[in-house]
């Protein structure tokens, strides 16, 4: 196979005719496939469904003398706080156990920042002239949606193979209007990058001008390897504390991709001072979270070792799907030289960079052929991919057979859009 | 027994000596009893614990084709929305199913009002010079805490036996700065009042100056009779719609005192237009709520008829406790003529009006004797009971034997404080 950039015009036109015919054949299949959202598959959910029987009777509901069926323990069941502390490598006194969604916790921290201010805020953010938020991209669209909803200005920070561009980050935080940065430090969404030790060290040692600058450390995929061994991650809380930045970081995690998606438990980890401040605010919003579900999780997941065993089982279901994506792209696309992608070892996404200027077109062609990808631009602040290139592939939900069909379609569309562009020049 | 107001000074002094000795005897018992928060008792929680086995297997998790273990259905499982619609007498399309806490939903509506504005808000409330909130009192302390946390000005509206003073309410809402009112329309917390038809009609027909005036209809005890038959309540949503005020009302409910306290499911009911507006905001905060728990509740509670049967069983546990309170007060206090209280048929509280000027003293004396009551003033905005009289008794949690001891102590303290006051004059 010849890279498209090396083909003659005649060869490109012949290739175009061939690929166009393949595209029409795809459309004729009347497919309806979704590779848009990172949802666990039925097989994964079935695998963990014995969590449902860990708490069955009235007596089962007691944990160290606490009746989980009644009000109390705002910060969470002590055993649940201990579980998260072990998972994240921090202290139980630094943990707030939330409801089913870490997104909800992240939203609420931003919401409190706006209405009340964070612990070291000179004033609530709604009283500031301008609030700027650093948005490494490609990134998680829901982080950007929160930011845009509250009216903050989003600043695009390019990702590098070791994490966000730290020179840029360090420069921007000199501006006191810059109040927050969104990060997914391990298997970043969607690139699947693991921040290097150097990147993490530079984050912990940031010198932000804003006294209430918030590092939102969204540790969504901290134990979510699907290939190879578990890769340990550091305790960002103690690293920040050692650098004199104890109150700067807010770490988030959840069991949405360990147990049930939207039915697990989440947590926020932060300095004890920050937690004290936030508990005063959270305690006005709620009396206590669902401790019965916390107990189910503590009993089922047990500890980090056992959780990692469960993740190995998730991996056995996920790995073949990521392999399908990788195989199709390696076979069909790599030799043609116009696209590249990340081959992550964990997380839920493959970040594909189509020929610059063709991502929107690829998305539309896929849609026409019955395959839904994540909305183009979603991985960038304001939906603006400067290169119109990034496509986020979420292979977890469909069965392998459907995934193969979807990848077949995607490859055809990638080629078609590239050829259109080559021929237009 | 002679009313204290009719006693001679000598008689008062003799009574004082007698009651003081009783108080010392109480202290000597070294009790530690709590009648402060409306928590269901262990017996009640045990009674409903078979909810834990309604969803046990992977197959159990499916509801009308929806896998409750995966993301989706932001507004709630259709069957859960239908359940709440039947409970409240409104339409499923008007229901948002929340997490474990209606308090959390109420807080989030206020929080959104502040940061973004409600559907008809000219601007977010954080951009208003002043926001005023009407606070019928005695009322629910957590409503007042939310209000104070967001910096709104609280206006005290006295309660009457038929509900809040509607002349005052109708007058105050002419001020466009008045943006919200907190109401518990059935078995109000703490008085146990059921709003009369006339009160409800006047609420539905309010003519507020603020276009985004919010009636927070906290239907916390809508099915919570402990004595006698279920008393139906009207569908406030349709009443408001008929009056041209469809978007004015936000109704809240939860199963915290039907199933598990802090482990059940909650709901918000409002106009479809309001819901559409709020879903856009809620959808940025969370992908979806815990549908597995919603399914447990739908399977266990089934429908309104069955729910009312469950409430009858709660009543059989609660009624004897309220009877203890009533008996002690009727026997020990009523004849002395210095105090009064409400004898509700439902809800979780008895609202006791001690001799004006003695509530704080009674609270302290009880504390000294090892009995904790709700903080005095908690039932009023800014903690300011204009009469220093109201005491909220929550009899649900302790077993009957403990309750009897606690009531014994309370009666002694009520008398002691009253006698101190009589003798001081």
């Amino acid at each position: 196979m010849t890279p498209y950039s090396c083909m003659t015009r005649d060869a490109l036109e012949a290739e175009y005719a061939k690929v166009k015919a393949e595209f029409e054949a795809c459309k004729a299949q009347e497919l309806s496939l979704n590779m848009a959202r990172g949802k666990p598959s039925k097989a994964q959910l079935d695998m963990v469904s014995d969590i449902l029987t860990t708490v069955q009777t009235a007596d089962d509901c007691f944990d160290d003398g606490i009746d989980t069926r009644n009000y109390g323990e705002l910060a969470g069941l002590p055993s649940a706080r201990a579980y998260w502390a072990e998972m994240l490598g921090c202290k139980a006194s630094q943990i707030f156990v939330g409801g089913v969604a870490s997104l909800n916790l992240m939203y609420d921290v931003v919401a409190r920042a706006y209405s009340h201010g964070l612990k070291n805020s000179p004033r609530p953010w709604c009283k500031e002239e301008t609030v700027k938020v650093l948005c490494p991209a490609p990134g998680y669209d829901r982080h950007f949606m929160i930011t845009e909803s509250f009216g903050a200005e989003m600043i695009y920070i390019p990702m590098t193979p070791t994490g966000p561009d730290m020179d840029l980050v360090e420069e921007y935080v000199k501006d006191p209007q810059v109040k927050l940065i969104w990060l997914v430090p391990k298997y970043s969404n969607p690139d699947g990058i693991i921040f290097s030790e150097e990147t993490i060290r530079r984050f912990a040692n940031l010198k932000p001008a804003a006294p209430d600058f918030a590092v939102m450390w969204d540790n969504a995929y901290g134990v979510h390897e699907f290939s190879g061994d578990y890769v340990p991650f550091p305790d960002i809380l103690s690293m920040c504390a050692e650098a004199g930045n104890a109150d700067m970081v807010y770490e988030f995690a959840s069991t949405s991709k360990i147990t049930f998606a939207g039915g697990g438990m989440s947590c926020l980890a932060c300095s004890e001072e920050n937690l004290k401040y936030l508990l005063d605010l959270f305690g006005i919003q709620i009396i206590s979270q669902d401790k019965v579900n916390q107990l189910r999780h503590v009993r089922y997941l047990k500890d980090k070792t056992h959780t990692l065993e469960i993740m190995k089982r998730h991996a056995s279901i996920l790995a073949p799907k990521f392999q399908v994506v990788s195989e199709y792209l390696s076979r069909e696309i790599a030799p043609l030289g116009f696209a590249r992608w990340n081959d992550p070892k964990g997380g839920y996404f493959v970040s594909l960079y189509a020929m610059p200027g063709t991502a929107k077109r690829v998305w539309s062609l896929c849609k026409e052929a019955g395959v839904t990808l994540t909305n183009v631009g979603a991985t960038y602040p304001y939906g603006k991919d400067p290169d119109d290139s990034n496509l986020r592939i979420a292979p977890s939900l469909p069965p392998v057979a459907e995934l193969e069909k979807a990848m077949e379609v995607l490859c055809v569309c990638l080629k078609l859009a590239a050829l259109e562009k080559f021929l237009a020049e």
Side-chain angles (χ1 to χ4, degrees), chain A:
Chain A
M1 282 163 95
T2 321
Y4 281 1
S5 57
C6 298
M7 281 187 179
T8 63
R9 189 165 184 91
D10 281 350
L12 283 169
E13 281 176 358
E15 177 75 355
Y16 178 82
K18 175 165 152 285
V19 172
K20 189 84 177 31
E22 286 167 0
F23 178 72
E24 295 303 326
C26 286
K27 279 176 69 178
Q29 291 181 62
E30 298 198 333
L31 302 165
S32 181
L33 306 168
N34 193 300
M35 286 201 295
R37 291 236 69 100
K39 292 170 83 157
S41 61
K42 183 180 183 298
Q44 290 173 261
L45 298 169
D46 287 346
M47 185 186 76
V48 295
S49 285
D50 33 342
I51 193 177
L52 294 166
T53 52
T54 53
V55 176
Q56 305 233 74
T57 67
D59 285 346
D60 285 347
C61 292
F62 282 79
D63 188 45
D64 207 27
I66 295 167
D67 188 343
T68 57
R69 307 163 300 176
N70 217 336
Y71 294 124
E73 311 294 331
L74 168 65
L77 216 50
S79 55
R81 298 178 80 188
Y83 169 82
W84 280 118
E86 196 207 0
M87 289 292 283
L88 302 181
C90 64
K91 296 188 269 190
S93 55
Q94 294 169 322
I95 297 285
F96 176 85
V97 185
V100 297
S102 57
L103 182 71
N104 196 344
L105 279 170
M106 288 183 259
Y107 182 99
D108 281 358
V109 169
V110 173
R112 269 348 81 80
Y114 264 86
S115 56
H116 292 74
L118 298 174
K119 179 174 161 294
N120 300 321
S121 295
R123 63 194 63 79
W125 293 6
C126 66
K127 301 291 183 202
E128 296 283 1
E129 192 71 41
T130 305
V131 171
K132 297 171 184 166
V133 169
L134 304 184
C135 297
Y140 181 30
D141 57 343
R142 290 187 185 276
H143 289 160
F144 305 151
M145 282 157 67
I146 294 175
T147 311
E148 197 164 6
S149 181
F150 280 93
E153 188 186 310
M154 292 190 280
I155 296 173
Y156 162 53
I157 304 286
M159 285 294 282
T160 79
T162 53
D165 181 330
M166 291 312 291
D167 289 342
L168 267 183
V169 172
E170 284 167 357
E171 194 55 36
Y172 271 116
V173 300
K174 292 175 182 174
D175 175 358
Q177 290 186 333
V178 171
K179 299 283 236 177
L180 184 146
I181 184 167
W182 292 109
L183 304 167
V184 182
K186 193 178 163 192
Y187 302 128
S188 65
N189 176 349
D191 281 327
I193 289 163
I194 300 179
F195 288 8
S196 67
E197 274 182 44
E198 178 64 5
T199 294
I200 297 175
R201 191 195 61 74
R202 286 174 80 173
F203 268 118
N205 285 274
L206 277 180
K207 304 269 174 278
D212 56 346
F213 180 75
V215 171
M216 304 293 267
W217 198 257
D218 185 2
N219 200 355
Y221 303 109
V223 294
H224 297 62
E225 277 67 26
F226 56 74
S227 170
D229 290 325
Y230 165 67
V231 175
F233 55 83
D235 168 29
I236 188 65
L237 265 57
S238 52
M239 286 184 71
C240 287
E242 275 150 38
N245 279 329
D247 298 337
M248 186 178 69
V249 65
Y250 300 82
E251 184 172 14
F252 302 88
S254 95
T255 70
S256 273
K257 286 160 183 140
I258 305 177
T259 56
F260 294 157
M265 67 166 176
S266 61
C267 82
L268 154 66
C270 60
S271 68
E272 280 157 19
E273 289 290 315
N274 261 343
L275 190 54
K276 186 159 166 287
Y277 177 84
L278 286 175
L279 282 175
D280 279 349
L281 290 171
F282 288 164
I284 297 192
Q285 181 181 27
I286 199 169
I287 301 175
S288 50
Q289 302 276 356
D290 186 348
K291 294 185 301 298
V292 180
N293 206 30
Q294 292 177 22
L295 187 55
R296 274 189 206 98
H297 280 74
V298 163
R299 295 233 170 105
Y300 182 71
L301 299 172
K302 300 195 203 305
D303 53 32
K304 192 163 189 177
T305 302
H306 189 251
T307 301
L308 290 176
E309 285 166 19
I310 291 171
M311 294 316 287
K312 280 277 181 195
R313 295 163 63 205
H314 277 288
S316 71
I317 297 171
L318 285 165
K321 300 187 178 191
F322 279 88
Q323 221 156 314
V324 167
V325 176
S326 187
E327 277 169 9
Y328 268 81
L329 292 176
S330 302
R331 187 179 63 235
E332 300 290 322
I333 302 299
L336 302 175
F338 63 80
R340 62 178 183 88
W341 68 95
N342 288 357
D343 245 332
K345 301 234 175 313
Y348 261 67
F349 307 101
V350 173
S351 186
L352 169 65
Y353 295 87
M355 179 169 178
T358 68
K360 286 199 196 77
R361 178 63 177 152
V362 172
W363 189 91
S364 300
L365 288 168
C366 283
K367 192 94 186 146
E368 233 187 290
V371 173
T372 307
L373 300 175
T374 308
N375 284 351
V376 162
T379 53
Y380 287 81
Y382 303 113
K384 290 206 181 95
D385 175 350
D387 300 320
D388 185 23
S389 167
N390 188 245
L391 288 157
R392 192 185 81 162
I393 302 170
S396 56
L397 186 64
V400 164
E402 276 189 33
L403 201 50
E404 285 174 339
K405 276 208 166 70
M407 284 308 298
E408 197 186 300
V409 169
L410 173 59
C411 290
V412 165
C413 297
L414 282 164
K415 290 188 217 176
L416 196 58
L419 287 162
E420 284 173 352
K421 200 152 178 63
F422 273 109
L423 286 168
E425 286 151 20

